[in-house]
Amino acid sequence: MPPAIDLSHEIGHGTVTYPGLPAPAICDFLSREASRQFYAEGVEFHIGRIDMVANTGTYIDSPFHRYAGGKDLAALPLDRVVDLEGVKVRSNAPMIDADAFEGVPIENRAVLIETAWSRHWGTERYLSGHPFVTAAAARHLKERGAKLVGIDSLNIDDIADRSRPVHSILLGADIPIVEHMTNLSALPETGFRFFAAPVKVREFGTFPVRAFAIVR
C-alpha cells in the first residue's frame, strides 16, 4: 500500500485552534507511577485525560453542528468520510468563489481546498484575515455533488459573516466539512483517496479527526 499522507495538525496542551475557544488541557488521569500498585512488578500503564471543546485541531463538522435535526457524528455514514475519491483545488484568493472550481471533477468526491494558510498555524496571524469560501462557491459545490469539502484555513466561512452561509449550504445538504487541515501541498490534484473519520458520538456535531490521504 502507498504511504499515507498526514493532513492533520497535532493537538497539544494549550493548543489554540480558534479565537475565543478554550485550548485543550491534557494531563494524567492515572500516571505510570500511580498505576504500579494495581499490577505485577514491572508492569505499568498510563491513562490520559483531555478536556477540550469539540472544535479543536483538525476537525470535521457534521450536519448536527449547524442543524438540530441534522445527522450527528454517530449517524454520519462512513461512506461520507472514508475512502473517498479526492480532488485538490489551489487558490491564493482571499475569497474563493465558484470560478475556482470550474472544470474540476467534483461529483462524489472529497474536495480539498489548499490556501497555504496552515503555514500560520500556532501564531496570532492564523486567527484573523483567513481565506474563505463564498456562498456562491458553496452552492456550486452542492449542485455539482461534492461528497465532502475540506480547507486548510481557520474557517470555511468568513467569520465576520454571522450568517455562516457556507456551513449552512453544505451541512444542509449533508456534506461534511473538514477545517484546519495542513500539508495539502503534498497531495496531487487528483488520484488520491481521502479519510477523515471521527469518533461515533451521539448528539455531537464536531470532533477532531486524523485526516489523511493515500495516493493511488
Side-chain angles (χ1 to χ4, degrees):
M1 177 179 287
I5 297 173
D6 197 342
L7 306 174
S8 303
H9 289 291
E10 290 184 1
I11 297 173
H13 180 80
T15 297
V16 175
T17 298
Y18 192 88
L21 294 182
I26 300 173
C27 61
D28 294 339
F29 175 76
L30 182 69
S31 70
R32 297 186 186 279
E33 293 76 14
S35 77
R36 293 169 188 165
Q37 63 181 304
F38 303 112
Y39 305 105
E41 185 176 354
V43 178
E44 60 184 28
F45 291 92
H46 174 263
I47 299 177
R49 178 170 180 166
I50 181 168
D51 180 9
M52 68 180 187
V53 296
N55 297 53
T56 297
T58 302
Y59 56 75
I60 192 166
D61 291 336
S62 71
F64 184 81
H65 178 53
R66 172 65 178 82
Y67 298 102
K71 292 183 178 68
D72 61 15
L73 296 175
L76 201 58
L78 281 175
D79 65 6
R80 280 282 179 178
V81 295
V82 300
D83 202 21
L84 306 178
E85 185 69 29
V87 61
K88 184 182 76 169
V89 175
R90 294 188 185 93
S91 178
N92 296 318
M95 296 188 299
I96 302 161
D97 212 348
D99 59 359
F101 305 96
E102 288 297 333
V104 176
I106 289 172
E107 187 175 4
N108 290 324
R109 286 173 168 82
V111 181
L112 308 184
I113 304 165
E114 180 190 349
T115 70
W117 195 252
S118 63
R119 70 188 184 277
H120 300 303
W121 175 259
T123 72
E124 286 295 320
R125 183 75 182 93
Y126 186 79
L127 304 177
S128 63
H130 68 286
F132 59 88
V133 173
T134 67
R139 286 192 291 269
H140 181 78
L141 291 165
K142 171 188 171 182
E143 291 163 3
R144 293 280 303 279
K147 209 161 190 179
L148 176 149
V149 180
I151 192 168
D152 61 351
S153 181
L154 175 76
N155 200 294
I156 201 167
D157 267 302
D158 176 5
I159 61 172
D161 186 347
R162 297 176 66 180
S163 69
R164 296 295 197 271
V166 180
H167 279 84
S168 299
I169 292 166
L170 296 181
L171 297 180
D174 281 348
I175 302 171
I177 299 167
V178 180
E179 294 174 310
H180 307 281
M181 301 184 72
T182 190
N183 199 33
L184 292 182
S185 62
L187 293 180
E189 292 184 358
T190 59
F192 63 90
R193 310 292 293 186
F194 180 69
F195 302 74
V199 294
K200 196 173 182 179
V201 185
R202 291 195 302 269
E203 297 184 3
F204 230 57
T206 300
F207 207 79
V209 292
R210 185 71 178 265
F212 66 92
I214 295 175
V215 178
R216 301 298 191 188

